[in-house]
Amino acid sequence: MFTFALIGCGRIGTRHAELIAKIGKLAAVCDTDAARCDLLARKYGAAPFNSLDDLLQASPEIKIICICTPNGMHAEHCIKSLQNGRDVLCEKPLCLTTSAAWSIMDTAHFFRRKVYIVKQNRFNEAVVFAKKLLTENAMGRILSFEINCFWNRPAEYYDGSWRGTVDNDGGLLYTQFSHFIDLLYWFLGDVVFVQGIKINNQLRNHLQIEDTGAVLLQMKNGATGSINYTINSYENNKEGSFTIFGESGTVKIGGEYLNSIEWVHTRDGSNFQGSVRPKPNDYGFYTGSMSNHHLVYDELVKALQGEPHQLPQLADAVKTVEIIEKIYAHSTDLSPV
């Protein structure tokens, strides 16, 4: 039986706890909010801790640490866990800077531990279909692409929270839309040119970060494209899409969460045979990305057993952070003073 500890007992942490209990033992949970930590600990018969250091010292039987803390804490929590001889499953994003990402990778290598990253959108049927088209060169040379992220996050999402802060959130491309940047790299490779703008239009009293942005990019393979993103979609999420234009085909992954093929047209007549659209993660007054975490854990079991698996490489997660950091470094802030 695999023995886990969970760091961070918020909404996504409770989702991980449910899945951990199905494949192994949740031996310990940790959160600075003692009441929230104790509640989850009682539910799963786990030992509660309010400090990661205390947990690591007291629980030598734990094999893997699942990190569900705010983005800005991921690097510290990953590195401490690795240095203590534990493998890590980290929620997206890996961290908020390229230097921190490389420190995680170097620490994992030095201590001969593994870091697995939660990128559940890679398991969407529509995404798998598009990746297959690219792998089989069904669309020929890729010419251009368009990514649209039109979501809603109301002011109350940010009230009294780490969300929207520079140090612990980092920006929409880290918290809301890092899955799209992961797929950009997975589909089309590295970025060589970036020029963008960002602006805080609606939530000046709640955000230290942007609520809208637009980016122009050129990829190493020569393809050019754009990313348009916002959390100002009125009342609810409207679209999360990735469109690819090739010499001999086009495809649009669409829906609200990259959960459908809106259209596909290739020279060889490729067809999408998807099942019923899956549902997103539901957090009450807002919805997140696809609820494919059970597929992440299916692959994690394979990885822990030493079998071939489909979890992303740590290097991919590092590259995602690098691309986001590059986008922000080359984006002009147009927010009103």
Side-chain angles (χ1 to χ4, degrees), residues 3-10 13-14 16-18 20-21 25-56 58-59 61-62 64-66 68-69:
T3 307
F4 289 77
L6 175 67
I7 316 302
C9 300
T14 58
H16 279 266
E18 294 170 5
I20 289 168
K25 177 183 178 182
L26 181 57
V29 296
C30 180
D31 200 294
T32 55
D33 185 325
R36 185 166 65 181
C37 181
D38 290 345
L39 183 65
L40 197 64
R42 287 196 299 271
K43 182 174 182 178
Y44 292 97
F49 294 89
N50 303 126
S51 158
L52 176 57
D53 292 335
D54 291 344
L55 184 154
L56 292 172
S59 307
E61 78 282 7
I62 292 168
I64 185 164
I65 308 290
C66 180
C68 297
T69 49

mmCIF file of all heavy atoms in Angstrom, residues 3-10 13-14 16-18 20-21 25-56 58-59 61-62 64-66 68-69:
data_model
loop_
_atom_site.group_PDB
_atom_site.id
_atom_site.type_symbol
_atom_site.label_atom_id
_atom_site.label_comp_id
_atom_site.label_asym_id
_atom_site.label_seq_id
_atom_site.Cartn_x
_atom_site.Cartn_y
_atom_site.Cartn_z
ATOM 1 N N THR A 3 1.771 5.011 0.913
ATOM 2 C CA THR A 3 1.474 5.885 2.041
ATOM 3 C C THR A 3 1.767 7.330 1.660
ATOM 4 O O THR A 3 2.870 7.663 1.239
ATOM 5 C CB THR A 3 2.303 5.481 3.271
ATOM 6 O OG1 THR A 3 2.104 4.086 3.533
ATOM 7 C CG2 THR A 3 1.881 6.274 4.492
ATOM 8 N N PHE A 4 0.750 8.203 1.824
ATOM 9 C CA PHE A 4 0.824 9.584 1.385
ATOM 10 C C PHE A 4 0.718 10.547 2.564
ATOM 11 O O PHE A 4 0.131 10.236 3.603
ATOM 12 C CB PHE A 4 -0.351 9.917 0.450
ATOM 13 C CG PHE A 4 -0.300 9.284 -0.908
ATOM 14 C CD1 PHE A 4 -0.632 7.947 -1.086
ATOM 15 C CD2 PHE A 4 0.053 10.034 -2.024
ATOM 16 C CE1 PHE A 4 -0.612 7.364 -2.342
ATOM 17 C CE2 PHE A 4 0.071 9.471 -3.281
ATOM 18 C CZ PHE A 4 -0.254 8.133 -3.446
ATOM 19 N N ALA A 5 1.253 11.744 2.334
ATOM 20 C CA ALA A 5 0.927 12.903 3.152
ATOM 21 C C ALA A 5 0.402 13.983 2.221
ATOM 22 O O ALA A 5 0.817 14.079 1.064
ATOM 23 C CB ALA A 5 2.148 13.408 3.908
ATOM 24 N N LEU A 6 -0.518 14.791 2.720
ATOM 25 C CA LEU A 6 -1.128 15.862 1.942
ATOM 26 C C LEU A 6 -0.807 17.192 2.595
ATOM 27 O O LEU A 6 -1.087 17.389 3.784
ATOM 28 C CB LEU A 6 -2.647 15.662 1.874
ATOM 29 C CG LEU A 6 -3.466 16.759 1.200
ATOM 30 C CD1 LEU A 6 -3.160 16.810 -0.295
ATOM 31 C CD2 LEU A 6 -4.961 16.519 1.423
ATOM 32 N N ILE A 7 -0.214 18.101 1.818
ATOM 33 C CA ILE A 7 0.121 19.432 2.316
ATOM 34 C C ILE A 7 -0.818 20.431 1.653
ATOM 35 O O ILE A 7 -0.776 20.632 0.442
ATOM 36 C CB ILE A 7 1.587 19.813 1.994
ATOM 37 C CG1 ILE A 7 2.536 18.646 2.270
ATOM 38 C CG2 ILE A 7 1.990 21.057 2.762
ATOM 39 C CD1 ILE A 7 2.507 18.142 3.682
ATOM 40 N N GLY A 8 -1.690 21.047 2.430
ATOM 41 C CA GLY A 8 -2.689 21.970 1.900
ATOM 42 C C GLY A 8 -4.056 21.312 1.898
ATOM 43 O O GLY A 8 -4.318 20.415 1.089
ATOM 44 N N CYS A 9 -4.939 21.750 2.767
ATOM 45 C CA CYS A 9 -6.235 21.088 2.969
ATOM 46 C C CYS A 9 -7.403 21.918 2.440
ATOM 47 O O CYS A 9 -8.523 21.836 2.954
ATOM 48 C CB CYS A 9 -6.445 20.791 4.455
ATOM 49 S SG CYS A 9 -5.173 19.707 5.163
ATOM 50 N N GLY A 10 -7.160 22.712 1.411
ATOM 51 C CA GLY A 10 -8.230 23.494 0.796
ATOM 52 C C GLY A 10 -9.050 22.671 -0.168
ATOM 53 O O GLY A 10 -9.079 21.433 -0.110
ATOM 54 N N GLY A 13 -7.082 20.226 -2.239
ATOM 55 C CA GLY A 13 -6.518 19.239 -1.323
ATOM 56 C C GLY A 13 -7.529 18.178 -0.938
ATOM 57 O O GLY A 13 -7.204 16.985 -0.871
ATOM 58 N N THR A 14 -8.785 18.592 -0.705
ATOM 59 C CA THR A 14 -9.810 17.608 -0.356
ATOM 60 C C THR A 14 -10.085 16.662 -1.521
ATOM 61 O O THR A 14 -10.389 15.480 -1.311
ATOM 62 C CB THR A 14 -11.116 18.298 0.069
ATOM 63 O OG1 THR A 14 -11.590 19.142 -0.994
ATOM 64 C CG2 THR A 14 -10.890 19.161 1.294
ATOM 65 N N HIS A 16 -7.805 15.681 -3.704
ATOM 66 C CA HIS A 16 -6.692 14.729 -3.671
ATOM 67 C C HIS A 16 -6.876 13.713 -2.548
ATOM 68 O O HIS A 16 -6.582 12.517 -2.724
ATOM 69 C CB HIS A 16 -5.374 15.482 -3.477
ATOM 70 C CG HIS A 16 -4.836 16.081 -4.738
ATOM 71 N ND1 HIS A 16 -3.922 15.436 -5.542
ATOM 72 C CD2 HIS A 16 -5.090 17.268 -5.335
ATOM 73 C CE1 HIS A 16 -3.630 16.205 -6.583
ATOM 74 N NE2 HIS A 16 -4.333 17.327 -6.476
ATOM 75 N N ALA A 17 -7.359 14.147 -1.404
ATOM 76 C CA ALA A 17 -7.563 13.226 -0.281
ATOM 77 C C ALA A 17 -8.511 12.101 -0.663
ATOM 78 O O ALA A 17 -8.280 10.927 -0.337
ATOM 79 C CB ALA A 17 -8.082 13.992 0.934
ATOM 80 N N GLU A 18 -9.598 12.449 -1.354
ATOM 81 C CA GLU A 18 -10.561 11.437 -1.795
ATOM 82 C C GLU A 18 -9.890 10.381 -2.668
ATOM 83 O O GLU A 18 -10.159 9.174 -2.528
ATOM 84 C CB GLU A 18 -11.684 12.098 -2.595
ATOM 85 C CG GLU A 18 -12.575 13.035 -1.796
ATOM 86 C CD GLU A 18 -13.508 13.833 -2.705
ATOM 87 O OE1 GLU A 18 -13.500 13.571 -3.941
ATOM 88 O OE2 GLU A 18 -14.230 14.703 -2.200
ATOM 89 N N ILE A 20 -6.555 9.743 -2.970
ATOM 90 C CA ILE A 20 -5.506 9.019 -2.247
ATOM 91 C C ILE A 20 -6.106 7.852 -1.474
ATOM 92 O O ILE A 20 -5.542 6.746 -1.452
ATOM 93 C CB ILE A 20 -4.753 9.979 -1.308
ATOM 94 C CG1 ILE A 20 -3.875 10.941 -2.116
ATOM 95 C CG2 ILE A 20 -3.904 9.200 -0.302
ATOM 96 C CD1 ILE A 20 -3.320 12.092 -1.298
ATOM 97 N N ALA A 21 -7.251 8.090 -0.848
ATOM 98 C CA ALA A 21 -7.882 7.050 -0.036
ATOM 99 C C ALA A 21 -8.286 5.836 -0.858
ATOM 100 O O ALA A 21 -8.426 4.731 -0.312
ATOM 101 C CB ALA A 21 -9.109 7.631 0.677
ATOM 102 N N LYS A 25 -2.955 4.882 1.541
ATOM 103 C CA LYS A 25 -3.269 5.379 2.878
ATOM 104 C C LYS A 25 -2.840 6.835 2.986
ATOM 105 O O LYS A 25 -1.689 7.178 2.685
ATOM 106 C CB LYS A 25 -2.534 4.556 3.936
ATOM 107 C CG LYS A 25 -2.747 5.061 5.361
ATOM 108 C CD LYS A 25 -1.927 4.252 6.356
ATOM 109 C CE LYS A 25 -2.114 4.799 7.776
ATOM 110 N NZ LYS A 25 -1.273 4.054 8.747
ATOM 111 N N LEU A 26 -3.771 7.682 3.398
ATOM 112 C CA LEU A 26 -3.440 9.068 3.711
ATOM 113 C C LEU A 26 -3.049 9.100 5.189
ATOM 114 O O LEU A 26 -3.890 9.107 6.070
ATOM 115 C CB LEU A 26 -4.633 9.989 3.443
ATOM 116 C CG LEU A 26 -4.402 11.482 3.706
ATOM 117 C CD1 LEU A 26 -3.227 12.021 2.901
ATOM 118 C CD2 LEU A 26 -5.665 12.286 3.395
ATOM 119 N N ALA A 27 -1.739 9.114 5.444
ATOM 120 C CA ALA A 27 -1.231 8.963 6.811
ATOM 121 C C ALA A 27 -1.157 10.285 7.560
ATOM 122 O O ALA A 27 -1.214 10.305 8.791
ATOM 123 C CB ALA A 27 0.143 8.307 6.788
ATOM 124 N N ALA A 28 -0.985 11.388 6.808
ATOM 125 C CA ALA A 28 -0.815 12.673 7.479
ATOM 126 C C ALA A 28 -1.329 13.792 6.585
ATOM 127 O O ALA A 28 -1.254 13.703 5.353
ATOM 128 C CB ALA A 28 0.648 12.908 7.828
ATOM 129 N N VAL A 29 -1.850 14.831 7.217
ATOM 130 C CA VAL A 29 -2.253 16.036 6.493
ATOM 131 C C VAL A 29 -1.653 17.238 7.210
ATOM 132 O O VAL A 29 -1.399 17.201 8.419
ATOM 133 C CB VAL A 29 -3.789 16.177 6.393
ATOM 134 C CG1 VAL A 29 -4.376 15.035 5.586
ATOM 135 C CG2 VAL A 29 -4.425 16.240 7.772
ATOM 136 N N CYS A 30 -1.446 18.310 6.426
ATOM 137 C CA CYS A 30 -0.784 19.483 6.986
ATOM 138 C C CYS A 30 -1.418 20.752 6.430
ATOM 139 O O CYS A 30 -1.650 20.853 5.217
ATOM 140 C CB CYS A 30 0.704 19.443 6.644
ATOM 141 S SG CYS A 30 1.659 20.844 7.268
ATOM 142 N N ASP A 31 -1.686 21.710 7.314
ATOM 143 C CA ASP A 31 -2.198 23.010 6.904
ATOM 144 C C ASP A 31 -1.987 23.981 8.063
ATOM 145 O O ASP A 31 -2.067 23.585 9.236
ATOM 146 C CB ASP A 31 -3.687 22.922 6.546
ATOM 147 C CG ASP A 31 -4.148 24.080 5.679
ATOM 148 O OD1 ASP A 31 -4.142 25.233 6.167
ATOM 149 O OD2 ASP A 31 -4.511 23.836 4.515
ATOM 150 N N THR A 32 -1.698 25.239 7.741
ATOM 151 C CA THR A 32 -1.546 26.236 8.798
ATOM 152 C C THR A 32 -2.880 26.584 9.441
ATOM 153 O O THR A 32 -2.912 27.131 10.548
ATOM 154 C CB THR A 32 -0.897 27.514 8.245
ATOM 155 O OG1 THR A 32 -1.657 27.983 7.131
ATOM 156 C CG2 THR A 32 0.542 27.239 7.797
ATOM 157 N N ASP A 33 -3.979 26.272 8.760
ATOM 158 C CA ASP A 33 -5.315 26.433 9.329
ATOM 159 C C ASP A 33 -5.630 25.172 10.134
ATOM 160 O O ASP A 33 -6.001 24.129 9.578
ATOM 161 C CB ASP A 33 -6.337 26.633 8.207
ATOM 162 C CG ASP A 33 -7.743 26.921 8.719
ATOM 163 O OD1 ASP A 33 -8.124 26.371 9.767
ATOM 164 O OD2 ASP A 33 -8.473 27.669 8.043
ATOM 165 N N ALA A 34 -5.467 25.258 11.445
ATOM 166 C CA ALA A 34 -5.570 24.073 12.296
ATOM 167 C C ALA A 34 -6.947 23.423 12.231
ATOM 168 O O ALA A 34 -7.062 22.194 12.203
ATOM 169 C CB ALA A 34 -5.227 24.443 13.736
ATOM 170 N N ALA A 35 -8.003 24.230 12.188
ATOM 171 C CA ALA A 35 -9.355 23.668 12.163
ATOM 172 C C ALA A 35 -9.592 22.894 10.873
ATOM 173 O O ALA A 35 -10.146 21.781 10.899
ATOM 174 C CB ALA A 35 -10.392 24.786 12.312
ATOM 175 N N ARG A 36 -9.192 23.464 9.757
ATOM 176 C CA ARG A 36 -9.364 22.794 8.471
ATOM 177 C C ARG A 36 -8.526 21.523 8.419
ATOM 178 O O ARG A 36 -8.971 20.488 7.915
ATOM 179 C CB ARG A 36 -8.980 23.753 7.343
ATOM 180 C CG ARG A 36 -9.221 23.206 5.960
ATOM 181 C CD ARG A 36 -9.157 24.311 4.922
ATOM 182 N NE ARG A 36 -7.827 24.912 4.826
ATOM 183 C CZ ARG A 36 -7.537 25.923 3.994
ATOM 184 N NH1 ARG A 36 -8.474 26.456 3.236
ATOM 185 N NH2 ARG A 36 -6.316 26.411 3.955
ATOM 186 N N CYS A 37 -7.313 21.591 8.944
ATOM 187 C CA CYS A 37 -6.425 20.424 8.975
ATOM 188 C C CYS A 37 -7.016 19.301 9.826
ATOM 189 O O CYS A 37 -7.043 18.140 9.412
ATOM 190 C CB CYS A 37 -5.061 20.852 9.516
ATOM 191 S SG CYS A 37 -3.825 19.548 9.588
ATOM 192 N N ASP A 38 -7.505 19.642 11.015
ATOM 193 C CA ASP A 38 -8.063 18.632 11.926
ATOM 194 C C ASP A 38 -9.301 17.968 11.326
ATOM 195 O O ASP A 38 -9.505 16.753 11.473
ATOM 196 C CB ASP A 38 -8.424 19.267 13.265
ATOM 197 C CG ASP A 38 -7.195 19.666 14.074
ATOM 198 O OD1 ASP A 38 -6.093 19.202 13.724
ATOM 199 O OD2 ASP A 38 -7.340 20.455 15.025
ATOM 200 N N LEU A 39 -10.115 18.760 10.638
ATOM 201 C CA LEU A 39 -11.330 18.221 10.030
ATOM 202 C C LEU A 39 -10.998 17.159 8.991
ATOM 203 O O LEU A 39 -11.592 16.071 8.972
ATOM 204 C CB LEU A 39 -12.132 19.357 9.388
ATOM 205 C CG LEU A 39 -13.480 18.968 8.773
ATOM 206 C CD1 LEU A 39 -14.440 18.482 9.851
ATOM 207 C CD2 LEU A 39 -14.084 20.168 8.031
ATOM 208 N N LEU A 40 -10.039 17.458 8.112
ATOM 209 C CA LEU A 40 -9.667 16.492 7.078
ATOM 210 C C LEU A 40 -8.955 15.289 7.693
ATOM 211 O O LEU A 40 -9.153 14.147 7.254
ATOM 212 C CB LEU A 40 -8.771 17.168 6.038
ATOM 213 C CG LEU A 40 -8.634 16.434 4.705
ATOM 214 C CD1 LEU A 40 -9.976 16.363 3.971
ATOM 215 C CD2 LEU A 40 -7.594 17.117 3.813
ATOM 216 N N ALA A 41 -8.143 15.529 8.710
ATOM 217 C CA ALA A 41 -7.439 14.433 9.381
ATOM 218 C C ALA A 41 -8.428 13.443 9.984
ATOM 219 O O ALA A 41 -8.268 12.217 9.857
ATOM 220 C CB ALA A 41 -6.509 14.989 10.453
ATOM 221 N N ARG A 42 -9.449 13.948 10.652
ATOM 222 C CA ARG A 42 -10.450 13.060 11.265
ATOM 223 C C ARG A 42 -11.191 12.253 10.205
ATOM 224 O O ARG A 42 -11.485 11.064 10.402
ATOM 225 C CB ARG A 42 -11.440 13.878 12.101
ATOM 226 C CG ARG A 42 -10.876 14.405 13.400
ATOM 227 C CD ARG A 42 -11.980 14.847 14.343
ATOM 228 N NE ARG A 42 -12.778 15.921 13.781
ATOM 229 C CZ ARG A 42 -12.493 17.217 13.923
ATOM 230 N NH1 ARG A 42 -11.412 17.587 14.583
ATOM 231 N NH2 ARG A 42 -13.287 18.141 13.391
ATOM 232 N N LYS A 43 -11.495 12.875 9.086
ATOM 233 C CA LYS A 43 -12.254 12.187 8.042
ATOM 234 C C LYS A 43 -11.508 10.974 7.506
ATOM 235 O O LYS A 43 -12.121 9.942 7.190
ATOM 236 C CB LYS A 43 -12.561 13.163 6.905
ATOM 237 C CG LYS A 43 -13.388 12.544 5.783
ATOM 238 C CD LYS A 43 -13.790 13.582 4.748
ATOM 239 C CE LYS A 43 -14.649 12.944 3.656
ATOM 240 N NZ LYS A 43 -15.091 13.934 2.651
ATOM 241 N N TYR A 44 -10.170 11.061 7.419
ATOM 242 C CA TYR A 44 -9.395 9.982 6.805
ATOM 243 C C TYR A 44 -8.495 9.244 7.792
ATOM 244 O O TYR A 44 -7.684 8.414 7.388
ATOM 245 C CB TYR A 44 -8.550 10.548 5.649
ATOM 246 C CG TYR A 44 -9.406 10.995 4.494
ATOM 247 C CD1 TYR A 44 -9.765 12.336 4.336
ATOM 248 C CD2 TYR A 44 -9.897 10.078 3.567
ATOM 249 C CE1 TYR A 44 -10.574 12.747 3.282
ATOM 250 C CE2 TYR A 44 -10.702 10.480 2.517
ATOM 251 C CZ TYR A 44 -11.035 11.815 2.380
ATOM 252 O OH TYR A 44 -11.837 12.218 1.333
ATOM 253 N N GLY A 45 -8.646 9.539 9.061
ATOM 254 C CA GLY A 45 -7.829 8.856 10.063
ATOM 255 C C GLY A 45 -6.359 9.172 9.933
ATOM 256 O O GLY A 45 -5.491 8.323 10.201
ATOM 257 N N ALA A 46 -6.057 10.392 9.534
ATOM 258 C CA ALA A 46 -4.676 10.826 9.327
ATOM 259 C C ALA A 46 -4.190 11.643 10.518
ATOM 260 O O ALA A 46 -4.980 12.196 11.280
ATOM 261 C CB ALA A 46 -4.580 11.663 8.047
ATOM 262 N N ALA A 47 -2.884 11.726 10.652
ATOM 263 C CA ALA A 47 -2.296 12.563 11.698
ATOM 264 C C ALA A 47 -2.257 14.013 11.217
ATOM 265 O O ALA A 47 -1.808 14.268 10.098
ATOM 266 C CB ALA A 47 -0.891 12.084 12.029
ATOM 267 N N PRO A 48 -2.723 14.966 12.027
ATOM 268 C CA PRO A 48 -2.707 16.376 11.613
ATOM 269 C C PRO A 48 -1.408 17.074 12.015
ATOM 270 O O PRO A 48 -0.876 16.836 13.107
ATOM 271 C CB PRO A 48 -3.888 16.960 12.383
ATOM 272 C CG PRO A 48 -3.945 16.145 13.643
ATOM 273 C CD PRO A 48 -3.454 14.769 13.299
ATOM 274 N N PHE A 49 -0.923 17.935 11.130
ATOM 275 C CA PHE A 49 0.258 18.749 11.410
ATOM 276 C C PHE A 49 0.011 20.159 10.893
ATOM 277 O O PHE A 49 -0.683 20.355 9.891
ATOM 278 C CB PHE A 49 1.505 18.177 10.720
ATOM 279 C CG PHE A 49 1.941 16.831 11.234
ATOM 280 C CD1 PHE A 49 1.426 15.662 10.679
ATOM 281 C CD2 PHE A 49 2.848 16.733 12.285
ATOM 282 C CE1 PHE A 49 1.823 14.422 11.153
ATOM 283 C CE2 PHE A 49 3.241 15.488 12.762
ATOM 284 C CZ PHE A 49 2.731 14.332 12.189
ATOM 285 N N ASN A 50 0.606 21.132 11.563
ATOM 286 C CA ASN A 50 0.515 22.517 11.111
ATOM 287 C C ASN A 50 1.844 23.028 10.574
ATOM 288 O O ASN A 50 1.965 24.201 10.231
ATOM 289 C CB ASN A 50 0.022 23.413 12.245
ATOM 290 C CG ASN A 50 -1.315 22.956 12.799
ATOM 291 O OD1 ASN A 50 -1.460 22.735 13.998
ATOM 292 N ND2 ASN A 50 -2.297 22.791 11.926
ATOM 293 N N SER A 51 2.826 22.144 10.480
ATOM 294 C CA SER A 51 4.144 22.481 9.955
ATOM 295 C C SER A 51 4.665 21.325 9.118
ATOM 296 O O SER A 51 4.629 20.164 9.569
ATOM 297 C CB SER A 51 5.109 22.777 11.112
ATOM 298 O OG SER A 51 6.455 22.620 10.702
ATOM 299 N N LEU A 52 5.143 21.612 7.916
ATOM 300 C CA LEU A 52 5.718 20.569 7.076
ATOM 301 C C LEU A 52 6.947 19.963 7.731
ATOM 302 O O LEU A 52 7.167 18.746 7.668
ATOM 303 C CB LEU A 52 6.072 21.134 5.700
ATOM 304 C CG LEU A 52 6.786 20.179 4.731
ATOM 305 C CD1 LEU A 52 5.966 18.909 4.485
ATOM 306 C CD2 LEU A 52 7.083 20.873 3.411
ATOM 307 N N ASP A 53 7.769 20.790 8.370
ATOM 308 C CA ASP A 53 8.962 20.273 9.042
ATOM 309 C C ASP A 53 8.584 19.239 10.097
ATOM 310 O O ASP A 53 9.222 18.178 10.205
ATOM 311 C CB ASP A 53 9.743 21.418 9.693
ATOM 312 C CG ASP A 53 10.362 22.356 8.677
ATOM 313 O OD1 ASP A 53 10.615 21.909 7.538
ATOM 314 O OD2 ASP A 53 10.585 23.530 9.012
ATOM 315 N N ASP A 54 7.554 19.531 10.879
ATOM 316 C CA ASP A 54 7.117 18.581 11.911
ATOM 317 C C ASP A 54 6.613 17.295 11.273
ATOM 318 O O ASP A 54 6.906 16.190 11.759
ATOM 319 C CB ASP A 54 6.005 19.196 12.761
ATOM 320 C CG ASP A 54 6.502 20.336 13.638
ATOM 321 O OD1 ASP A 54 7.737 20.458 13.817
ATOM 322 O OD2 ASP A 54 5.656 21.113 14.132
ATOM 323 N N LEU A 55 5.880 17.407 10.198
ATOM 324 C CA LEU A 55 5.356 16.222 9.518
ATOM 325 C C LEU A 55 6.493 15.339 9.015
ATOM 326 O O LEU A 55 6.481 14.114 9.207
ATOM 327 C CB LEU A 55 4.453 16.645 8.360
ATOM 328 C CG LEU A 55 3.728 15.545 7.574
ATOM 329 C CD1 LEU A 55 2.456 16.105 6.943
ATOM 330 C CD2 LEU A 55 4.605 14.942 6.460
ATOM 331 N N LEU A 56 7.469 15.936 8.366
ATOM 332 C CA LEU A 56 8.570 15.164 7.797
ATOM 333 C C LEU A 56 9.382 14.451 8.879
ATOM 334 O O LEU A 56 9.847 13.331 8.683
ATOM 335 C CB LEU A 56 9.478 16.077 6.974
ATOM 336 C CG LEU A 56 8.853 16.647 5.691
ATOM 337 C CD1 LEU A 56 9.773 17.685 5.066
ATOM 338 C CD2 LEU A 56 8.545 15.545 4.696
ATOM 339 N N ALA A 58 8.199 13.476 11.819
ATOM 340 C CA ALA A 58 7.385 12.540 12.600
ATOM 341 C C ALA A 58 6.859 11.360 11.801
ATOM 342 O O ALA A 58 6.370 10.392 12.398
ATOM 343 C CB ALA A 58 6.210 13.295 13.226
ATOM 344 N N SER A 59 6.945 11.400 10.480
ATOM 345 C CA SER A 59 6.266 10.389 9.663
ATOM 346 C C SER A 59 7.211 9.739 8.652
ATOM 347 O O SER A 59 7.097 9.954 7.439
ATOM 348 C CB SER A 59 5.080 11.038 8.938
ATOM 349 O OG SER A 59 4.240 11.710 9.839
ATOM 350 N N GLU A 61 7.325 6.799 7.496
ATOM 351 C CA GLU A 61 6.734 5.770 6.635
ATOM 352 C C GLU A 61 6.133 6.332 5.352
ATOM 353 O O GLU A 61 5.820 5.582 4.421
ATOM 354 C CB GLU A 61 5.647 5.011 7.407
ATOM 355 C CG GLU A 61 4.304 5.725 7.547
ATOM 356 C CD GLU A 61 4.269 6.808 8.620
ATOM 357 O OE1 GLU A 61 5.341 7.113 9.191
ATOM 358 O OE2 GLU A 61 3.193 7.332 8.884
ATOM 359 N N ILE A 62 5.967 7.629 5.272
ATOM 360 C CA ILE A 62 5.313 8.253 4.119
ATOM 361 C C ILE A 62 6.238 8.224 2.905
ATOM 362 O O ILE A 62 7.391 8.662 2.969
ATOM 363 C CB ILE A 62 4.894 9.694 4.446
ATOM 364 C CG1 ILE A 62 3.773 9.671 5.484
ATOM 365 C CG2 ILE A 62 4.456 10.434 3.187
ATOM 366 C CD1 ILE A 62 3.476 11.013 6.095
ATOM 367 N N ILE A 64 5.203 9.430 -0.396
ATOM 368 C CA ILE A 64 4.997 10.515 -1.351
ATOM 369 C C ILE A 64 4.217 11.650 -0.696
ATOM 370 O O ILE A 64 3.244 11.422 0.024
ATOM 371 C CB ILE A 64 4.283 10.018 -2.627
ATOM 372 C CG1 ILE A 64 4.184 11.137 -3.665
ATOM 373 C CG2 ILE A 64 2.936 9.406 -2.329
ATOM 374 C CD1 ILE A 64 3.864 10.626 -5.063
ATOM 375 N N ILE A 65 4.688 12.857 -0.940
ATOM 376 C CA ILE A 65 4.061 14.059 -0.423
ATOM 377 C C ILE A 65 3.258 14.706 -1.542
ATOM 378 O O ILE A 65 3.798 15.011 -2.605
ATOM 379 C CB ILE A 65 5.107 15.069 0.087
ATOM 380 C CG1 ILE A 65 6.076 14.411 1.078
ATOM 381 C CG2 ILE A 65 4.421 16.290 0.691
ATOM 382 C CD1 ILE A 65 5.502 14.051 2.402
ATOM 383 N N CYS A 66 1.985 14.937 -1.313
ATOM 384 C CA CYS A 66 1.111 15.594 -2.284
ATOM 385 C C CYS A 66 0.972 17.066 -1.885
ATOM 386 O O CYS A 66 0.491 17.373 -0.796
ATOM 387 C CB CYS A 66 -0.248 14.909 -2.303
ATOM 388 S SG CYS A 66 -1.406 15.634 -3.473
ATOM 389 N N CYS A 68 -0.520 20.699 -2.269
ATOM 390 C CA CYS A 68 -1.690 21.452 -2.726
ATOM 391 C C CYS A 68 -1.746 22.814 -2.048
ATOM 392 O O CYS A 68 -2.826 23.337 -1.757
ATOM 393 C CB CYS A 68 -2.966 20.666 -2.427
ATOM 394 S SG CYS A 68 -3.088 19.088 -3.283
ATOM 395 N N THR A 69 -0.599 23.381 -1.790
ATOM 396 C CA THR A 69 -0.492 24.679 -1.148
ATOM 397 C C THR A 69 -0.516 25.793 -2.194
ATOM 398 O O THR A 69 -0.477 25.517 -3.396
ATOM 399 C CB THR A 69 0.806 24.736 -0.327
ATOM 400 O OG1 THR A 69 1.898 24.294 -1.148
ATOM 401 C CG2 THR A 69 0.716 23.850 0.894
#
